[in-house]
Structure formats: C-alpha cells, structure tokens
Amino acid sequence: MEPTGSRTPAKALHIAAAFAVHVFTACGAACALLALMAAVAGEWPKMFLWLGIALIIDGVDGTLARQLRVAEVLPRWSGDMLDFVVDFTTYVFVPAYAMATGGLLPRPLALPLGLTVAVTGALYFADRRMKTPDNYFRGFPALWNIAAFYLFVLKPPPWAGAIAIAVLAAATFASIHFVHPIRVPRWRLINLAVLVLWGLLALVALAQNLDPPGWVAAALSAIAIYFVIAGLLRTAD
C-alpha cells in the first residue's frame, strides 16, 4: 500500500468517491432503523416508505460500485458483507417485526411466523449458492419486505396470510428460481418496465394509507404473479 503522501489529487478524489459509495450503502441501515421506529409506532405506510428508500439504495449502489471499481480501490472494506448486513435488516428483520406485530396474522401464530421469517432469512443470506450464474435466485430470495407489503395491502384472511408466509419460508430452500429484475439478461427490458410500474403502483398504495383502489391491488398482484412465473420458467428450462 502506497504512502498517503504519494497520492495524486485525482487518486485521492477517486478513493473518497469509492468510500462514499460504501457510506451510501450503509445509509440503508439508517433507513432500517427509521423503518423500525415507524413500525413500533404502528405507522406502517411510513415504515414501507423507508424500506422503499432502502430498496432504491440497494438497486443503485452496486452499479456505482462497479463504475468506481470500489472493490479494487478499497480492498479493506467488503462491499458484499456491507450489503448483506444492510439487506438483512431491511429485507428480513424489520418486515419480520411488522408481520409479527401488525395484527394481520392469527394471534397464536404471529410471533412464531415472525421468528420463522427471521431464521430462514438469516440462513438464506448465508447461502453461498443463493444465485445462479445467470443471476437468478435459488429459492425464495428472502424478499420479506415485499411479502409484508402485499400482506398489508391485500389484507387477506389471517389464516391465508399465515399459509402464504409458511409457503414462502419453505420456498427459501426449494429448488426453484426467482428472477432478479435488474441483473437477469432474459427479458430484462420487460422486467425493468414492469418493475417501474410496480414502483408507481406501490407509491399509490402508500399514498392511500395501504388501502388502495381495487385496480391497484389487482395490478400489484398481477405483477407479483408475472415475476413468479418468470422464475418458474427458468426452473423448467
């Protein structure tokens, strides 16, 4: 490692920019804390807003890291480890709390299901084979933030919500695939367009206090079915 004094201004700026990407990623943890505080207060739309901001950060930081060659410029800091830490809090931990305390599941099962989400989510993030070479996820990719969002928007009967969570937890370890809408090459443009549409519909749902018009809920459900089928087609190939 070269002495600090030998760095050119351009290189120092590059290092600062690379570290700023790590800080940007770590801001997802701050969003997780704000989301948890909102959840404790029962402010569910605000919780999902913070989780949505964390989702945007997670979708952007990888591109920035690759463009700035962060792993090469700052080998001391592991972007992958940082990403996993932040993702576990926003994708698993906070949603598990929301599902356990949100009053949408059978009371005797709410806490056990929340604990199941936390445990299976932790195991999934430790799986070194969570992705295929073509960037599909193996098993349900612990997107419990999305699952919780659908639970709060659709408000199914408590027993139906409990079954859905149990099925998704089991699917974490199943030999099926789920599409990554940004990184999977197959139908990427279509997937991105559908993802943008989903984001707009989700904003409508948040603006309506998680009680959107029926057409919004139906469109969100159709998009979820589309992404599930896109992954199952990879499994069937």
Side-chain angles (χ1 to χ4, degrees):
M1 188 173 181
E2 63 181 311
T4 304
S6 66
R7 294 174 184 166
T8 64
K11 186 167 185 178
L13 183 62
H14 189 184
I15 292 173
F19 192 74
V21 174
H22 282 325
V23 173
F24 179 65
T25 299
C27 285
C31 291
L33 177 58
L34 292 168
L36 182 59
M37 293 170 65
V40 171
E43 299 175 338
W44 306 116
K46 184 181 292 186
M47 180 198 76
F48 283 113
L49 179 61
W50 285 117
L51 292 180
I53 294 173
L55 192 63
I56 293 172
I57 291 173
D58 187 45
V60 173
D61 62 354
T63 300
L64 295 175
R66 287 185 289 273
Q67 289 179 344
L68 292 172
R69 298 179 289 109
V70 172
E72 176 186 337
V73 174
L74 295 173
R76 172 183 172 183
W77 306 92
S78 172
D80 290 337
M81 290 296 295
L82 176 60
D83 200 50
F84 280 174
V85 169
V86 173
D87 285 355
F88 180 77
T89 60
T90 56
Y91 283 61
V92 178
F93 191 78
V94 174
Y97 175 85
M99 289 186 283
T101 63
L104 297 175
L105 299 173
R107 184 170 297 179
L109 297 178
L111 180 56
L113 286 171
L115 296 175
T116 298
V117 168
V119 171
T120 58
L123 289 171
Y124 188 81
F125 274 93
D127 187 355
R128 292 190 177 94
R129 297 181 66 252
M130 68 164 60
K131 286 184 182 178
T132 65
D134 52 350
N135 288 317
Y136 282 82
F137 292 103
R138 287 189 176 94
F140 175 65
L143 291 174
W144 292 108
N145 50 348
I146 305 301
F149 177 75
Y150 276 94
L151 185 66
F152 276 78
V153 169
L154 300 179
K155 299 177 181 64
W159 61 267
I163 291 174
I165 291 173
V167 169
L168 289 176
T172 300
F173 309 103
S175 298
I176 56 177
H177 297 91
F178 286 80
V179 65
H180 190 305
I182 297 176
R183 294 189 181 181
V184 168
R186 188 182 195 183
W187 305 338
R188 177 178 285 158
L189 291 180
I190 296 175
N191 292 339
L192 288 174
V194 174
L195 183 63
V196 170
L197 176 60
W198 183 91
L200 294 174
L201 292 170
L203 286 175
V204 172
L206 290 178
Q208 297 291 323
N209 199 33
L210 297 175
D211 190 20
W215 68 268
V216 173
L220 286 169
S221 299
I223 290 173
I225 293 171
Y226 165 79
F227 279 121
V228 169
I229 292 175
L232 292 177
L233 289 176
R234 166 65 170 76
T235 303
D237 288 346

